[in-house]
Amino acid sequence: MQNTHKHITVLLHEAVDGLDIKPGGIYIDGTFGRGGHSELILQKLGENGRLLAIDRDLQAQQSAKKFEQDPRLEFFHQNFASIVPLLEHKGLVGMIDGILLDLGVSS
């Protein structure tokens, strides 16, 4: 049986508006999911902006492929609990302008 469920991002604009996106800022979507929040963040970022997207789900990793051509987004297949080691590895400690974590119930 094929899954015909379409994911609808709840409070999409409210969550992203709360980040107060700066065009050249660096942001983290710690729960990438299907990429709804990340897509809107990218729309608000300028060409020098950056988005680190994190999710441990294999479907999220597949969904991230639609952003492969956008150099502003970098996807990491891991748990958001590893944000600090990731930032240390990337040399970004203290440089993040906002973090989004959608901690709702997974459907």
Side-chain angles (χ1 to χ4, degrees), residues 12-93:
L12 171 64
H13 293 279
E14 293 84 351
V16 174
D17 288 349
L19 288 172
D20 194 24
I21 303 289
K22 300 175 193 168
I26 303 172
Y27 296 88
I28 297 173
D29 182 350
T31 49
F32 178 81
R34 302 303 167 258
H37 290 110
S38 286
E39 186 171 8
L40 186 56
I41 291 168
L42 288 169
Q43 288 174 17
K44 293 176 178 277
L45 281 177
E47 64 183 42
N48 295 320
R50 219 167 144 191
L51 177 60
L52 308 178
I54 302 169
D55 206 299
R56 67 180 180 178
D57 181 57
L58 290 175
Q59 282 186 306
Q61 188 175 20
Q62 289 297 315
S63 294
K65 289 184 178 186
K66 68 182 174 185
F67 297 101
E68 284 180 332
Q69 300 303 314
D70 193 328
R72 301 171 301 163
L73 185 135
E74 197 170 356
F75 181 82
F76 299 91
H77 181 233
Q78 57 195 52
N79 189 300
F80 65 79
S82 62
I83 287 175
V84 172
L86 174 64
L87 295 179
E88 290 171 344
H89 175 74
K90 302 294 277 176
L92 295 173
V93 173

